Structure formats: structure tokens, C-alpha cells
Amino acid sequence: MKVIVVGGGAAGLAAAISAAGEGAQVLLLEKNEKLGRKIYITGKGRCNLTNACDDDEFFRHIMRNPRFMYSSYRSFSCRDMMELLESAGLRLKVERGSRVFPASDHASDVTRTLGRIAAGRGVGIRLNTAVRNLIIEDGICRGVKTAEGDMSADRVIVATGGLSYPSTGSTGDGYKWARAAGHDVRELFPSLVPLAAAVDGGWDIASMAGLSPRNVTLTLIRGKKRTRSEIGEMLFTHEGISGPLVLTLSSMISGEDLSGMRLELDWKPALSEDELDARLLREFDAAPKKSLKNVMRSLLPESAVMPVLSQSETDPDAPAAEVTKAARLSLLHALKSFRLKIKGLGPMEGAVITRGGIDTRQIDPATMESKLIKGLFFAGEVLDVDATTGGFNLQIAWTTGWAAGAAAGRILQGQDKQTFYTE
């Protein structure tokens, strides 16, 4: 009796460890020369492996299909993942935003620890082994086809990732196999990705490239509705905007019509409008003969001064003492609601994750087993579930992988009678 796990990333490693823990004979197939290539580059090489938040907070960060995660997360939560690694000797630390990292700041330590756990549970690992297709007969998945030949199995877990970072091996194989098996795949978009953007009013955003404001608030607006606001840091680039704030808000944007969407940047979120107005009056009174553009350098980074003044339609060369109340209020509005047009999402190659994937209505939320094909399981990014930044997407991979592996292992032992299939 054997379980084959296709994909040696986060979800695949979790699935293999979990299935082996249930007593199954597990073979993990990875087409790369090493396990966890995408894990190595997460968190800028430090691996933000999960988040130490409470359960309610975790689900607030899931953008697509959070209810699908309820059953599996109860069985394997953020705390369970931390305990698994710490019990294997990996020291962890919690940083700002409850983000969890290995204490060493080396993502390789996470992969190495998981590989050691898998080996300790008897998981067989075959690297440089590309799966070409699934073997499905009479509505039952019976194994996989590889370049070396067919491999039979009692259960197959597909954990091949999405389309983001294709250099790590995420080339969409799982979507292709799912479609061939009769599954619907929701439209795929890059998520947690930089945005192509422009300054409303015509100022060239490229002049702001390299500017990295911190403790600012960015708000996504659809029509007249303020959809979501986030506070933190961002980065202006030659073609648009990036950074943590932007990546998070990009998870709420797909390839839909962008004409009714925009972003508003609050340069001074710590100050109310009245407090900021009082600050402007003090600055003007302190230097009445200085030009407005020079006075504003005490409030903004230099490369932001002219774009803000341009959007407020105030004269940058006017002496501070001559700024009218109407002009001051217009400037105040530009400081609190600096408008950015969204031109589009960045490319899939630069996305952290893929939005979209296998329709979760066709997957058992407790076991990750296909409702269409017996013995076939899906886990990780290949599913239509995604979240914001902060370790939440990796936790989705750990959780769904663990659920798939545990269910496959229990089925093989006959412990899960209601979903046990005789072949």
C-alpha cells in the first residue's frame, strides 16, 4: 500500500510527513534537484514560515475561500506547525506582525529540518523525477506517469504549486492534471505582486522611483467604496509601486476592469486632518518667505514634494505666507488622500503566489480528496485559496498538505471507513 506525493515544496513535504506518520508507505517525487526550492526564496531568503496570530486573525488574512480552510486548520494550525519544527530542533522567533522565522534567518534550515523529519518517518524521496500525468482508471487514481515509466500507488497527492516563480518548478502541472480529471480551475492571476501605477494628475511616477515611505496608509477604493486599508511601508518604482502594503492590496485585485479602482495614500496617518492642518499653519508661520516647495520638505521626502503639490494644484513657488486657506485645504487633501491610478498587475513571474486554482467546491475540505476522482488529493497553491503576506500562504500549504497526507494515511489503514474504497 503506497502514497505518492507529487511535489517537494511546502505542501508536498507536509503531506509526505503526515501520511508517513499514519503508517503509509510514502514516495515523494520532486522534479528539481533539491526539495523546497520556493521555500528557499520566501521572506527574502529568511522564510516567513507561518504567523503566530490567533485563529480569528488567521482567517481574516485569507482572501479566497476562508471557509474551506476551517476543518483542516483545526487539525493543523500555525501553532502545530511551529511545534513540529521546534520539536525537531529548529529554533524559531516571532517578529513584527507576529511573523515567524527560523532563529538563524536561513530558509534552508526550514527545508533541512522538514527533510530530516520526513527521512525519520521513512519517506522515500526521488529528486529529478518529473511526473508527466496521472493514471486514472474507472474514476480512481492509480498512480502517476513519469519519464522513467509508470508508478502505481493506492493514493496520489498533487502538491505541484501554482504558476508564480516558475524558475522554482511551479509551471502549472497540477492545474493541467486537474482539468484532465474533470475539475474546474478558477481563472489564474498573479497575487502579492507589484502594481503598474500612475500618479493621478499626470506627474511621472518614475521621478519617485526609489522612494520608500514607512508608516503610511494605503487604501484600495472600488468606485465609491473603500475596500481595504493597510498601514506600513511601500516602494515607488519606475513603473509603479511595490512593497508590503502594495503586495497585500494586490491580493484583492484580479484581471477585472481596473477603471473603477484606485489607491489613496495617506502620507501622515498618525495625524488627523485638524492636526495636520495645524502643523501646516505652524510650518508656514515659521518660514513665511520660503517657497511652498521648500517648506514642504520638512513634511515629505524630497521626491514626493512636487507630486503632492502638483496633485493639490498649488503653486510650488508661492511664499508660504501667501498660501490661501483654499490652497492649504487642497494641499491637506493631497497629503491625506494622494491618488494613484492602478494600470495593472505585475507579471506572474514576479508574483509571490497565484490567485485562482482548483475549485474548492470539488474538494473535500477535511481531507483534500477530490470529490470527482477517488484516491486523488490536492494540496497547497494549486487550490483556489490564497492570503495576504505574513506567513499565511505558507501556512495554507502546511495545513492542506497535512490534511491530505493524514487522510491518505488513515484511508490506507482502514481507519476512515466512510471514505475507504475497495479496488
Side-chain angles (χ1 to χ4, degrees), residues 90-170:
L90 181 65
R91 290 176 53 243
L92 304 177
K93 62 180 178 179
V94 180
E95 296 187 358
R96 179 177 55 84
S98 299
R99 290 168 165 81
V100 180
F101 295 87
S104 65
D105 282 331
H106 294 147
S108 57
D109 288 341
V110 176
T111 308
R112 190 177 299 112
T113 300
L114 291 170
R116 188 169 65 249
I117 296 171
R121 294 192 179 189
V123 174
I125 298 173
R126 289 188 58 173
L127 303 175
N128 299 303
T129 303
V131 172
R132 305 302 187 196
N133 214 332
L134 305 176
I135 300 173
I136 298 175
E137 300 172 353
D138 301 322
I140 301 171
C141 188
R142 300 186 183 275
V144 301
K145 292 181 177 291
T146 73
E148 291 77 27
D150 293 357
M151 295 184 180
S152 62
D154 300 288
R155 303 291 180 262
V156 173
I157 301 172
V158 175
T160 50
L163 286 173
S164 59
Y165 289 123
S167 61
T168 65
S170 298

Side-chain angles (χ1 to χ4, degrees), residues 39 165 181 192 302 310 373:
I39 295 174
Y165 289 123
L192 304 186
E302 186 167 356
S310 174
I373 304 296

Side-chain angles (χ1 to χ4, degrees), residues 223-239:
K224 296 182 179 180
K225 183 180 179 182
R226 302 175 75 83
T227 303
R228 188 183 181 103
S229 292
E230 295 284 337
I231 189 167
E233 61 184 282
M234 60 183 290
L235 172 69
F236 284 86
T237 69
H238 284 90
E239 297 181 347

Side-chain angles (χ1 to χ4, degrees), residues 11 18 22 41 54 67 79 105 114 174 196 198 201 204 210 239 244 248 254 269 293 352 356 364 383 390 402-403:
S18 178
E22 295 290 340
I41 62 174
D54 61 33
R67 292 174 62 87
R79 291 175 294 281
D105 282 331
L114 291 170
D204 186 3
E239 297 181 347
T248 293
S254 61
K293 63 184 179 186
V352 176
D364 185 316
L383 296 166
W402 195 269

Side-chain angles (χ1 to χ4, degrees), residues 176-399:
K176 177 179 66 176
W177 302 336
R179 288 190 184 100
H183 285 273
D184 296 321
V185 176
R186 298 296 184 184
E187 191 171 1
L188 306 172
F189 300 102
S191 189
L192 304 186
V193 67
L195 297 175
V199 176
D200 193 4
W203 192 270
D204 186 3
I205 200 168
S207 69
M208 304 174 73
L211 175 60
S212 182
R214 298 187 175 188
N215 300 317
V216 294
T217 296
L218 194 62
T219 301
L220 175 64
I221 299 174
R222 278 191 173 93
K224 296 182 179 180
K225 183 180 179 182
R226 302 175 75 83
T227 303
R228 188 183 181 103
S229 292
E230 295 284 337
I231 189 167
E233 61 184 282
M234 60 183 290
L235 172 69
F236 284 86
T237 69
H238 284 90
E239 297 181 347
I241 49 177
S242 186
L245 285 183
V246 176
L247 299 189
T248 293
L249 292 181
S250 76
S251 67
M252 307 189 71
I253 303 170
S254 61
E256 63 203 52
D257 180 12
L258 299 175
S259 60
M261 302 179 67
R262 70 180 190 278
L263 295 165
E264 287 189 357
L265 172 60
D266 184 347
W267 294 94
K268 300 292 179 181
L271 300 177
S272 68
E273 289 194 2
D274 288 343
E275 290 171 333
L276 183 54
D277 190 31
R279 170 77 183 275
L280 287 173
L281 286 170
R282 288 198 301 273
E283 295 290 343
F284 294 170
D285 289 342
K289 295 182 179 180
K290 272 191 176 182
S291 66
L292 186 55
K293 63 184 179 186
N294 287 330
V295 172
M296 292 303 295
R297 290 189 178 119
S298 64
L299 287 165
L300 290 170
E302 186 167 356
S303 60
V305 170
M306 289 303 295
V308 169
L309 291 175
S310 174
Q311 197 166 102
S312 68
E313 298 183 342
T314 51
D315 181 1
D317 295 314
E322 296 180 13
V323 175
T324 65
K325 180 179 180 180
R328 191 182 77 247
L329 293 178
S330 180
L331 177 57
L332 174 66
H333 182 73
L335 286 167
K336 298 294 286 183
S337 303
F338 185 71
R339 302 182 306 278
L340 295 164
K341 295 179 180 178
I342 304 170
K343 297 171 64 177
L345 294 166
M348 184 68 80
E349 291 77 9
V352 176
I353 57 163
T354 308
R355 173 182 174 179
I358 298 170
D359 191 338
T360 56
R361 294 175 297 181
Q362 297 169 341
I363 305 296
D364 185 316
T367 66
M368 303 300 137
E369 186 174 16
S370 166
K371 294 180 180 179
L372 309 181
I373 304 296
K374 296 176 182 178
L376 176 60
F377 300 74
F378 294 97
E381 194 175 341
V382 73
L383 296 166
D384 184 20
V385 185
D386 64 88
T388 65
T389 58
F392 303 102
N393 287 289
L394 266 179
Q395 185 59 48
I396 289 171
W398 308 129
T399 293

